[in-house]
């Protein structure tokens, strides 16, 4: 029987991961759509500037609205890079070709001292 870790390792084998510094440069250079696949509370606590929050469970349902061009660059990250690897694998199966994942995820982004934004959680009052 396979574990979630096995699935992540298999997904990583088939995708391109960039260090946070490389990812930041690639995103700026090519104007990639930057997707944070963490949950909304994680995103609100801190995220990469310019990122769009699409929780992993909603990605396949929302990607065509966010980026209808399957050849356009898309950069994905999560907390440590597992969900991002699975997300890239899924997006590739939908026909997206210019995918990159942030190696080490948001945790590594923070460790490298790169810029971070914060957002308030929506109020449902």
């Amino acid at each position: 029987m396979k574990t979630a870790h096995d699935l992540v390792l298999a997904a990583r084998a088939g995708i391109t991961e960039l260090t946070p510094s490389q990812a930041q440069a690639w995103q700026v250079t090519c104007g990639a759509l930057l997707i944070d696949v963490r949950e909304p509370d994680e995103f609100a606590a801190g995220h990469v500037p310019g990122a769009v929050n699409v929780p992993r469970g909603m990605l396949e349902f929302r990607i065509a609205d966010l980026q209808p061009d399957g050849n356009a660059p898309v950069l994905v990250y999560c907390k440590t890079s597992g969900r991002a690897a699975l997300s890239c694998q899924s997006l590739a199966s939908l026909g997206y070709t210019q995918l990159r994942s942030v190696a080490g995820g948001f945790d590594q982004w923070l460790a490298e001292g790169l810029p971070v934004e914060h957002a308030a959680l929506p109020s449902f009052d």
Side-chain angles (χ1 to χ4, degrees):
M1 182 187 275
K2 290 186 179 187
T3 67
H5 183 70
D6 295 330
L7 293 176
V8 168
L9 290 176
R12 279 193 179 128
I15 66 168
T16 301
E17 288 190 308
L18 303 174
T19 67
S21 295
Q22 291 171 327
Q24 183 183 42
W26 188 73
Q27 196 271 332
V28 169
T29 301
C30 66
L33 171 64
L34 179 58
I35 302 176
D36 181 326
V37 295
R38 298 176 301 154
E39 294 300 312
D41 59 332
E42 294 175 285
F43 181 81
H47 58 272
V48 175
V52 175
N53 182 223
V54 182
R56 171 70 190 97
M58 295 302 298
L59 184 61
E60 293 82 356
F61 299 102
R62 300 242 355 255
I63 188 62
D65 292 332
L66 294 169
Q67 183 50 269
D69 180 357
N71 294 314
V74 177
L75 178 60
V76 182
Y77 75 94
C78 64
K79 179 175 172 41
T80 59
S81 73
R83 287 176 282 180
L86 294 170
S87 296
C88 284
Q89 183 181 49
S90 183
L91 291 175
S93 73
L94 291 174
Y96 287 83
T97 60
Q98 296 297 315
L99 301 165
R100 304 290 185 275
S101 174
V102 178
F106 189 68
D107 286 354
Q108 187 61 39
W109 185 276
L110 288 173
E112 290 189 18
L114 295 172
V116 173
E117 289 181 344
H118 296 83
L121 286 171
S123 173
F124 298 104
D125 294 337

